[in-house]
Amino acid sequence: MKSWFGALKLLLAFLTFPVTVDCLVRHYNFRVVLTNTTKLCSTKSIVTVNGQFPGPTVYAREDDSVIVRVTNHVNQNMTIHWHGVRQHLTGWADGPAYVTQCPIQPGQNYVYNFTLTGQRGTLLWHAHISWLRATVHGAIVILPKRGVPYPFPKPHKEKIIVLGEWWKSDVEAVLNQATQSGLPPNVSDAHTINGFSGPFPNCSSQGYTLHVKEGKTYLLRIINAALNDELFFRIAGHNLTVVEADASYTKPFQTDTIYISPGQTTNALLHANQAIGKYLIVISPFMDAPIGFDNSTSFSTLRYKHTPPNPNTTFLTAIPPQNATPITKTFLDSLKSLNSLQYPTRVPLTVDHSLFFTMGVGVNPCDTCVNGSKLVGDMNNVSFVLPTTALLEAHYYNIKGVFTTDFPANPPVVFNYTGSSPVNMQTTNGTRLYKLGFNSTVQLVLQGTAVIAPESHPTHLHGFNFYVVGHGLGNFDPVKDPESFNLVDPVERNTIGVPTAGWTAIRFRADNPGDDHYQFYLIYV
């Protein structure tokens, strides 16, 4: 009897005090719908998730599983990419159309299922087909495991800051026009912060307001969801302390300007330590190349609690020059991985595959284009041809004829990459991949070129992080430049902007296998 009574008390205690769960399954429903939106004093219908722009935030903790059911209610194909998620053995959930999955057709749905392993910080999700990511995007917030503190002072609150671009025209029409003409697409009309463009010439558009309390510290989760533009982010009168990039902790450093490329994220601490009042927030573009870009500056405000409704003074800040390369270099040079006992840096010290990829623009024949030719992107003079069967499906089921594994490890033609354009600017076309052995180590040098015009190239490695071991201007020197590589505490990222007429060197370990070999894809953001 005593034994039975003791068992009953144990059962009651179990029911009264729930067991601590270290990891959870987070469920989300994404409904892709059309939503009427007014910006820059003009209204249009845009594709959104759940009617929100930016879309809903996905919250989870490290080691949680995330299940997202995406239902497509518009008349366009759709996929969602979880930009920066490591997708270990869950490549089917990565999201790029015709690479890891076929698109979700109108009226259909798809369930994404992945686990957030070994990551904590801020990432983003966005559509990964055509240009729909202009309005179909949102934040991913990965909190540390329960009981595990941040490696920096705990903030009073956290704020999500999503930067983007806005076109008055329908973005699909903009892209279709460029495809038919063979010319670059029209640049955006404005930059946005959390969906707000702010005041603009001939339009008193509402701007975003960041509300703070004096003496408090805020963690800003800053995301560049723009399609094309590298951006500066600055708050009048306040410095920011950078503590994380692309969901990897960094050594803290102070700056008055955040520099962020498309697809990148940066977490920074904001100390609300100034006088009560209203302070200008500036989002402006960085461009140091002779090409067209959206040169507009968007304004928002930081407002302290107890600031009068109509303050006499708004504290202003200088706008960084659009070609402020020294600011970008200082920011990039300051980014270092934390490299602590709890968060060690595991940059490969030996290299199994040493790859050298040139990246830029070529000119190919086009019978339907206005000039009989079209501009195309290329790597090692290869322009990617989108298949009609998803690459991962073809690999997994051994479907022949979808792709080849002969992508060149080095440029087929050597020339002065950052000098004058070669006479022949035509590229080859193909669905060509480079094959890696499981657990092999890779060094990849991404070399920008000046063909047509030099420009920066934001580049993202799907399903992986990499270490940025070096970067510089001009042509990469395979003898001298590796001597200055940082192999101690290089920043760990998933997206990098290769500098205009310059190069970036990254290293990673190919430890996310396919069936019998590993395939990786470098995709422009």
Side-chain angles (χ1 to χ4, degrees):
M1 187 68 176
K2 286 183 179 180
S3 175
W4 178 88
F5 184 68
L8 179 60
K9 287 199 300 183
L10 197 61
L11 176 61
L12 289 173
F14 177 80
L15 294 175
T16 304
F17 301 101
V19 176
T20 300
V21 179
D22 291 333
C23 54
L24 298 174
V25 178
R26 312 273 182 165
H27 292 267
Y28 290 89
N29 284 311
F30 278 19
R31 297 176 63 254
V32 180
V33 296
L34 289 176
T35 305
N36 287 333
T37 304
T38 300
K39 296 193 189 305
L40 303 182
C41 297
S42 176
T43 300
K44 69 173 183 175
S45 184
I46 62 173
V47 181
T48 68
V49 167
N50 298 349
Q52 302 175 37
F53 172 71
T57 298
V58 172
Y59 287 95
R61 290 189 181 274
E62 181 183 354
D63 286 345
D64 282 355
S65 293
V66 177
I67 297 177
V68 186
R69 178 180 292 276
V70 178
T71 306
N72 187 4
H73 294 284
V74 300
N75 61 359
Q76 297 161 283
N77 288 345
M78 174 61 61
T79 68
I80 300 293
H81 169 49
W82 314 97
H83 187 105
V85 173
R86 272 210 78 225
Q87 299 295 1
H88 187 67
L89 299 178
T90 53
W92 303 104
D94 194 40
Y98 300 109
V99 176
T100 61
Q101 70 170 100
C102 293
I104 309 168
Q105 297 181 8
Q108 302 299 309
N109 64 74
Y110 188 86
V111 177
Y112 294 92
N113 189 342
F114 52 88
T115 301
L116 299 165
T117 303
Q119 294 181 284
R120 76 291 305 166
T122 306
L123 297 172
L124 72 151
W125 60 264
H126 58 78
H128 206 298
I129 185 169
S130 189
W131 266 22
L132 293 177
R133 67 184 182 275
T135 56
V136 180
H137 59 249
I140 304 174
V141 173
I142 310 173
L143 300 170
K145 299 176 185 178
R146 290 192 181 277
V148 178
Y150 292 127
F152 47 81
K154 184 179 179 180
H156 172 65
K157 279 188 177 179
E158 302 184 6
K159 303 280 189 176
I160 295 173
I161 305 291
V162 181
L163 312 180
E165 289 179 275
W166 183 261
W167 281 259
K168 286 186 178 180
S169 301
D170 177 80
V171 290
E172 293 300 280
V174 171
L175 184 58
N176 290 337
Q177 181 185 16
T179 301
Q180 293 169 7
S181 68
L183 301 174
N186 293 333
V187 300
S188 54
D189 296 295
H191 299 110
T192 59
I193 174 170
N194 287 349
F196 294 91
S197 59
F200 231 70
N202 303 318
C203 181
S204 57
S205 299
Q206 182 182 358
Y208 170 75
T209 300
L210 175 62
H211 294 278
V212 299
K213 293 181 181 179
E214 185 183 12
K216 301 296 185 181
T217 299
Y218 298 82
L219 181 66
L220 304 186
R221 298 180 177 271
I222 306 168
I223 298 168
N224 187 350
L227 275 74
N228 304 307
D229 289 347
E230 298 173 294
L231 297 171
F232 292 123
F233 176 88
R234 178 179 283 185
I235 302 177
H238 295 76
N239 283 331
L240 299 167
T241 303
V242 175
V243 293
E244 179 252 303
D246 290 359
S248 296
Y249 293 135
T250 64
K251 288 184 172 68
F253 70 93
Q254 276 201 1
T255 180
D256 62 0
T257 306
I258 298 291
Y259 163 62
I260 188 166
S261 292
Q264 289 184 335
T265 64
T266 301
N267 280 7
L269 295 174
L270 165 69
H271 302 290
N273 54 8
Q274 299 301 305
I276 289 174
K278 185 178 176 183
Y279 295 78
L280 205 63
I281 300 175
V282 171
I283 302 100
S284 62
F286 165 69
M287 177 56 70
D288 60 352
I291 62 173
F293 69 104
D294 179 356
N295 63 358
S296 64
T297 298
S298 291
F299 300 97
S300 297
T301 54
L302 177 148
R303 191 183 190 99
Y304 278 81
K305 189 175 182 180
H306 303 306
T307 298
N310 297 300
N312 295 327
T313 303
T314 298
F315 296 92
L316 306 179
T317 184
I319 300 172
Q322 292 175 349
N323 62 347
T325 304
I327 292 178
T328 66
K329 184 179 187 307
T330 298
F331 186 88
L332 294 175
D333 288 345
S334 300
L335 285 169
K336 310 286 184 184
S337 65
L338 199 55
N339 196 17
S340 63
L341 289 176
Q342 189 173 5
Y343 304 104
T345 299
R346 294 189 174 94
V347 58
L349 300 180
T350 60
V351 174
D352 298 320
H353 297 265
S354 184
L355 309 178
F356 185 83
F357 290 0
T358 57
M359 52 202 312
V361 178
V363 181
N364 284 354
C366 176
D367 294 336
T368 61
C369 298
V370 289
N371 296 323
S373 62
K374 62 180 179 180
L375 297 177
V376 295
D378 71 88
M379 282 185 166
N380 279 357
N381 205 45
V382 178
S383 291
F384 182 70
V385 175
L386 204 64
T388 55
T389 300
L391 297 179
L392 189 58
E393 179 184 359
H395 161 63
Y396 190 83
Y397 292 108
N398 198 28
I399 302 173
K400 303 298 183 182
V402 177
F403 63 84
T404 61
T405 56
D406 59 348
F407 187 90
N410 292 281
V413 177
V414 177
F415 62 100
N416 180 6
Y417 307 117
T418 56
S420 301
S421 297
V423 175
N424 182 7
M425 293 182 287
Q426 186 172 338
T427 73
T428 61
N429 303 309
T431 311
R432 302 168 67 181
L433 282 59
Y434 185 90
K435 186 166 65 174
L436 299 173
F438 171 65
N439 215 33
S440 60
T441 56
V442 182
Q443 176 177 292
L444 172 59
V445 176
L446 297 162
Q447 173 69 62
T449 68
V451 179
I452 306 297
E455 60 177 308
S456 175
H457 295 281
T459 308
H460 171 55
L461 183 56
H462 277 241
F464 266 84
N465 280 3
F466 52 76
Y467 292 98
V468 184
V469 296
H471 59 91
L473 299 178
N475 295 330
F476 175 73
D477 187 324
V479 176
K480 295 181 180 179
D481 286 329
E483 295 177 358
S484 61
F485 280 1
N486 178 5
L487 301 179
V488 177
D489 57 357
V491 67
E492 185 178 2
R493 305 210 73 146
N494 62 64
T495 303
I496 191 67
V498 179
T500 299
W503 58 271
T504 296
I506 65 175
R507 288 190 181 189
F508 65 96
R509 181 176 295 276
D511 58 357
N512 193 358
D515 226 7
D516 58 353
H517 64 278
Y518 173 73
Q519 298 165 3
F520 78 97
Y521 315 92
L522 280 165
I523 309 292
Y524 282 110
V525 178

